[in-house]
Amino acid sequence: MNASSPFEDNPQSRQSDPSDKNVTDWVDYIVAYFVAVQRYLRISFMSLHADRKAAIEKRSTLFLPLAGFSLGLLVSLLLALTQFIWPLGIAVLLVGSIELVLLRTFVPESIPQCRELLISKVSTSASGNIFVLTIVFMLLRMALFYQLLSESMSLLTPCILILISISLGTWIIPFSISFAVAHDEKARWINPNHPLTKKQLGYGSLFLIPLFLLGTWSSLSYFAPALIATAVLTYWIMRKLEDHDVEITDTHIEGLASLAQVVFLLVCTIDFSFLKQLSE
């Protein structure tokens, strides 16, 4: 009598194969979401099995927009909660410090090619200038958080604007890697092992629709100019990089994401009352 596999003899086992595969796929997608969250963190909390690692890491790219939104929501909630415990200035600095240490939702040290923009490569003081630029951009962003929260009569509007700024900043990362081409196997974002098609980007970005509607409802007068300014700046920088035939790297993508957040928040804090004075 020939020995055979149970999957060959038992028809019920054959029928259970599709459902088992579907369950495995759903589990992989859930794990891929947390892997996407981990890619925005400076610490590692998940280890994958070798046989599923490549597939899950590839799928995690699809969840990068949603993962960035999730961390933005976390930062916004922390800002809303900590100011009930500490004074607003201390609460903002505390949340900003936690974000800078643990999260990659804001990476000011990676302003696009800041070494070349600030000073020549041959100079030994370039690293010092990059450090200064990091501190300046981080303090500016914290000041914008403070300004939004201190000027508003409620927490809802500034927290929504902060949530949108972080969500847009982190969304620029998958947006950029869906258009850019690179071949760096060790890159964190842009490499051939974790591609993202434009169709996948569209599906992964559906959450932006209710988020934009929420921004329109809460403060259209601030949200619309900030969104337009951020979109124009992002498009202009990407076109300049393309015109100069620059090879896109993680430095460009993270820098663009950081700069977009600062511009969005900066426009949100503009006092448009001067327009009424000019019209009178």
Side-chain angles (χ1 to χ4, degrees), residues 144-158:
L144 294 173
F145 280 178
Y146 179 86
Q147 185 69 14
L148 282 174
L149 291 166
S150 62
E151 281 194 344
S152 179
M153 299 299 295
S154 66
L155 288 175
L156 185 60
T157 297

Side-chain angles (χ1 to χ4, degrees), residues 175-189:
F175 172 78
S176 301
I177 64 179
S178 66
F179 288 91
V181 178
H183 302 283
D184 186 358
E185 297 287 343
K186 297 181 180 179
R188 180 169 46 256
W189 303 115

Side-chain angles (χ1 to χ4, degrees), residues 36 39-40 60-69 170 173-174 177 189:
R39 293 173 70 179
Y40 282 117
S60 70
T61 310
L62 176 64
F63 290 100
L64 283 178
L66 184 59
F69 167 78
T170 53
I173 292 175
I177 64 179
W189 303 115

Side-chain angles (χ1 to χ4, degrees), residues 158-195:
C159 286
I160 289 175
L161 293 175
I162 290 172
L163 171 60
I164 294 175
S165 71
I166 298 176
S167 300
L168 282 178
T170 53
W171 175 82
I172 285 178
I173 292 175
F175 172 78
S176 301
I177 64 179
S178 66
F179 288 91
V181 178
H183 302 283
D184 186 358
E185 297 287 343
K186 297 181 180 179
R188 180 169 46 256
W189 303 115
I190 177 168
N191 62 58
N193 294 325
H194 306 131

Side-chain angles (χ1 to χ4, degrees), residues 101-244:
V101 171
L102 300 179
L103 308 182
R104 302 193 66 86
T105 50
F106 186 70
V107 194
E109 67 267 22
S110 296
I111 298 300
Q113 299 299 316
C114 53
R115 184 183 296 272
E116 288 80 356
L117 291 174
L118 289 174
I119 202 164
S120 174
K121 289 182 179 180
V122 298
S123 175
T124 57
S125 60
S127 59
N129 287 332
I130 295 175
F131 175 77
V132 171
L133 186 65
T134 299
I135 299 301
V136 169
F137 267 80
M138 192 62 197
L139 290 177
L140 174 60
R141 185 167 176 265
M142 292 299 98
L144 294 173
F145 280 178
Y146 179 86
Q147 185 69 14
L148 282 174
L149 291 166
S150 62
E151 281 194 344
S152 179
M153 299 299 295
S154 66
L155 288 175
L156 185 60
T157 297
C159 286
I160 289 175
L161 293 175
I162 290 172
L163 171 60
I164 294 175
S165 71
I166 298 176
S167 300
L168 282 178
T170 53
W171 175 82
I172 285 178
I173 292 175
F175 172 78
S176 301
I177 64 179
S178 66
F179 288 91
V181 178
H183 302 283
D184 186 358
E185 297 287 343
K186 297 181 180 179
R188 180 169 46 256
W189 303 115
I190 177 168
N191 62 58
N193 294 325
H194 306 131
L196 185 66
T197 65
K198 298 176 181 63
K199 184 178 180 180
Q200 290 175 326
L201 177 67
Y203 286 129
S205 305
L206 289 177
F207 76 94
L208 289 176
I209 298 175
L211 188 63
F212 286 173
L213 292 176
L214 187 62
T216 303
W217 168 78
S218 63
S219 181
L220 179 62
S221 59
Y222 288 107
F223 169 70
L227 183 62
I228 293 173
T230 304
V232 170
L233 177 67
T234 302
Y235 176 77
W236 180 78
I237 292 179
M238 294 188 73
R239 284 299 305 268
K240 283 297 182 181
L241 293 175
E242 181 181 354
D243 293 342
H244 289 82

